[in-house]
Amino acid sequence: VIEAYKQGLRPAVGYELNPWLLRLSRYRARRAGCDGKVSFLKQDLWKVNLSDCYNVTMFLAPSVKSPLAAKLLAELPDEARVVAGRFPFPSWTPSSTVGKGLDQVWAYDMKDVRQAAQSGVEGSPV
């Protein structure tokens, strides 16, 4: 969230249920000089409507990627970009990747993911 803000993405909002991680995120925002410029909200990602989000970054375990893929496909606009850290979406083809090992990230453009899903080729959500 902090890096998204520094790159000019507004609003920069993070959702977290774990109180410890929420406090840590807010502390890091203050340390980075972003206090009041970014938000970390204690909300359940599964209950948040993401339809007005255009840049989504996540660090989630592989076990939630399939249900999350369905949510993102249902809610995000075509212009949205999803960046996954540590674990890729197994059935999506990334638009680009950066880094290696634990520092690798995968970027997905929702328009491309939807086109692949509709054509039934690799990159489909299921």
Side-chain angles (χ1 to χ4, degrees):
V1 173
I2 295 165
E3 186 59 31
Y5 177 81
K6 289 179 178 179
Q7 295 297 321
L9 301 174
R10 310 281 193 285
V13 179
Y15 300 107
E16 180 59 61
L17 281 177
N18 181 317
W20 187 87
L21 291 175
L22 193 62
R23 283 191 298 276
L24 179 63
S25 298
R26 290 174 177 162
Y27 167 76
R28 287 185 174 169
R30 279 191 303 279
R31 244 180 78 193
C34 296
D35 194 28
K37 299 172 186 169
V38 300
S39 301
F40 293 96
L41 307 175
K42 185 176 181 184
Q43 290 188 356
D44 186 340
L45 178 64
W46 300 105
K47 296 177 182 176
V48 173
N49 182 336
L50 301 173
S51 62
D52 63 347
C53 295
Y54 289 88
N55 295 284
V56 176
T57 303
M58 58 197 51
F59 293 90
L60 296 170
S63 61
V64 298
K65 293 292 178 151
S66 287
L68 183 57
K71 176 178 176 61
L72 297 174
L73 278 167
E75 295 180 12
L76 291 179
D78 276 348
E79 301 80 18
R81 174 167 262 208
V82 175
V83 176
R86 299 275 167 100
F87 305 105
F89 284 89
S91 58
W92 289 4
T93 301
S95 303
S96 62
T97 61
V98 176
K100 293 191 184 280
L102 294 177
D103 293 326
Q104 187 169 6
V105 296
W106 296 261
Y108 306 91
D109 293 323
M110 290 310 296
K111 185 175 182 179
D112 295 340
V113 171
R114 281 196 181 90
Q115 286 175 345
Q118 290 170 352
S119 67
V121 298
E122 182 183 348
S124 66
V126 194

